[in-house]
């Protein structure tokens, strides 16, 4: 675990809303490692969300943000919208977040679903609008925010936080406790679920109390689309057992199955 480091909390910090731990989760939204870490993050939220608040910090890898084409700058300022560029998904996520953190999380999840299902090019502005429709955002607000300085600045702020915390690998998670004077703990890369449990327990200095997991039906109401692997991981089942449970609900017409090249996905009908 030599990729775990201590560092100072950034200023200003996000309110922890009476929860003692704060997580900064650094992800490249289109990176395969972000998909593989999703099950871990979801299970942490389900079992230990009463201990922490969290924030996704977008860490899109671009050769040079200062060399964006004039067409991309045109999109950000609302001049030209029919474009395609790898920075656009990140700006779209920040535009969605302007409608609330939950809206941003829904948008990120649906964006990743589009990637897994090989839908239209997610670097396309038109596709990003379609994703906003799918997660039922306010489309007038989203369209305005997508071309606003606020969304672009929010993304630039994420990149600044990444530099300030010297995050060189994504995904990474930085843990802070409620004492501003204490150093944070940076965990670079992905680890087993038990490692993150151990870190939470050490930072809280008390025995963790798990929240009971929801039923599979309630889980789909919360996350909408999940893979067989995620279900197996969250409920500590074998893939075969998870598959059986999911097929039961498919026969009951509660969920539908979507086979992709990389995984088997299930979603609410």
């Amino acid at each position: 675990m030599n990729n775990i480091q201590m560092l100072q909390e950034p200023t200003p910090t996000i309110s922890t809303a009476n929860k003692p731990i704060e997580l900064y989760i650094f992800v490249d939204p289109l990176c395969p490692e972000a998909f593989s870490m999703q099950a871990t993050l979801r299970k942490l939220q389900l079992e230990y969300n009463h201990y922490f608040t969290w924030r996704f910090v977008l860490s899109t890898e671009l050769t040079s943000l200062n060399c964006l084409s004039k067409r991309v700058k045109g999109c950000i300022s609302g001049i030209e919208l029919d474009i395609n560029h790898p920075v656009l998904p990140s700006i779209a996520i920040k535009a969605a977040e302007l409608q609330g953190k939950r809206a941003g999380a829904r948008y990120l999840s649906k964006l990743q679903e589009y990637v897994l299902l090989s839908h239209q090019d997610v670097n396309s502005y038109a596709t990003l609008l379609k994703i906003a429709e799918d997660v039922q955002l306010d489309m007038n607000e989203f369209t305005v925010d997508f071309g606003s300085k606020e969304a672009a600045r929010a993304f630039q702020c994420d990149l600044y936080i990444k530099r300030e915390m010297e995050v060189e690998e994504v995904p990474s998670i930085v843990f802070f406790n409620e004492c501003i004077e204490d150093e944070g703990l940076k965990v670079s890369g992905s680890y087993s679920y038990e490692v993150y449990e151990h870190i939470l327990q050490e930072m809280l200095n008390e025995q963790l109390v798990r929240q009971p997991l929801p039923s599979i039906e309630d889980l789909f109401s919360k996350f909408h689309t999940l893979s067989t692997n995620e279900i197996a991981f969250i409920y500590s089942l074998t893939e075969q057992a998870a598959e059986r449970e999911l097929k039961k609900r498919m026969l009951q017409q509660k969920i539908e199955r979507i086979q992709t090249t990389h995984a088997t996905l299930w979603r609410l009908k």
Side-chain angles (χ1 to χ4, degrees):
M1 293 175 58
N2 55 359
N3 284 332
I4 299 180
Q5 304 172 20
M6 307 301 292
L7 70 165
Q8 294 294 324
E9 184 167 10
T11 303
T13 184
I14 304 168
S15 169
T16 58
N18 299 320
K19 297 182 182 182
I21 303 296
E22 183 177 14
L23 271 58
Y24 283 66
I25 304 168
F26 293 82
V27 295
D28 180 340
L30 305 184
C31 180
E33 284 76 13
F35 302 139
S36 63
M37 196 178 195
Q38 184 168 259
T40 299
L41 295 175
R42 286 177 167 178
K43 189 168 183 176
L44 279 173
Q45 290 175 44
L46 292 168
E47 293 194 322
Y48 300 118
N49 194 48
H50 51 299
Y51 291 121
F52 64 84
T53 58
W54 52 272
R55 169 184 173 174
F56 281 117
V57 183
L58 301 183
S59 307
T60 303
E61 296 296 335
L62 296 173
T63 303
S64 174
L65 282 171
N66 294 325
C67 296
L68 293 179
S69 68
K70 292 181 179 179
R71 296 182 69 206
V72 173
K73 293 179 181 177
C75 171
I76 294 173
S77 63
I79 298 170
E80 182 183 348
L81 299 177
D82 185 18
I83 64 170
N84 182 299
H85 194 279
V87 76
L88 295 186
S90 293
I91 294 176
I93 293 166
K94 304 316 288 188
E97 283 182 355
L98 292 174
Q99 296 187 34
K101 188 169 75 170
R102 291 181 184 273
R106 290 201 316 273
Y107 190 94
L108 172 59
S109 179
K110 181 61 70 172
L111 176 72
Q112 292 176 327
E113 179 186 326
Y114 262 58
V115 174
L116 287 173
L117 296 179
S118 301
H119 277 183
Q120 301 96 320
D121 182 4
V122 294
N123 292 329
S124 159
Y125 176 77
T127 301
L128 296 169
L129 282 183
K130 179 65 170 61
I131 294 171
E133 290 178 353
D134 286 351
V135 296
Q136 299 181 330
L137 296 183
D138 182 314
M139 291 306 297
N140 289 333
E141 187 176 340
F142 178 79
T143 303
V144 171
D145 287 338
F146 193 100
S148 71
K149 293 180 179 179
E150 286 77 11
R153 285 172 180 164
F155 177 47
Q156 290 168 353
C157 179
D158 279 12
L159 297 178
Y160 172 78
I161 292 172
K162 179 174 181 280
R163 290 194 301 271
E164 183 183 22
M165 294 192 188
E166 298 180 346
V167 173
E168 297 178 353
E169 182 179 357
V170 291
S172 291
I173 302 179
V174 179
F175 295 76
F176 291 104
N177 65 23
E178 57 191 343
C179 182
I180 296 176
E181 289 78 16
D182 288 352
E183 292 182 320
L185 187 67
K186 179 171 66 178
V187 184
S188 300
S190 298
Y191 288 88
S192 69
Y193 188 73
E194 291 72 23
V195 168
Y196 299 110
E197 282 186 304
H198 178 73
I199 291 170
L200 281 175
Q201 184 164 308
E202 287 293 308
M203 295 192 78
L204 289 162
N205 196 28
E206 63 182 64
Q207 187 66 37
L208 295 180
V209 178
R210 288 191 182 99
Q211 296 182 126
L213 291 171
S215 66
I216 290 179
E217 288 79 6
D218 288 342
L219 188 70
F220 275 98
S221 295
K222 181 177 179 63
F223 295 121
H224 302 291
T225 302
L226 296 113
S227 68
T228 305
N229 288 339
E230 282 182 291
I231 295 291
F233 178 80
I234 288 170
Y235 292 102
S236 300
L237 300 171
T238 64
E239 285 193 42
Q240 292 79 6
E243 182 94 5
R244 285 196 298 271
E245 292 298 321
L246 291 162
K247 282 181 177 177
K248 289 178 190 176
R249 287 154 180 84
M250 182 178 67
L251 292 173
Q252 295 167 351
Q253 297 189 335
K254 294 179 179 179
I255 60 176
E256 61 181 340
R257 179 176 185 164
I258 311 158
Q259 190 64 51
T260 76
T261 305
H262 308 289
T264 300
L265 298 182
W266 307 80
R267 67 184 175 195
L268 284 174
K269 291 198 73 171

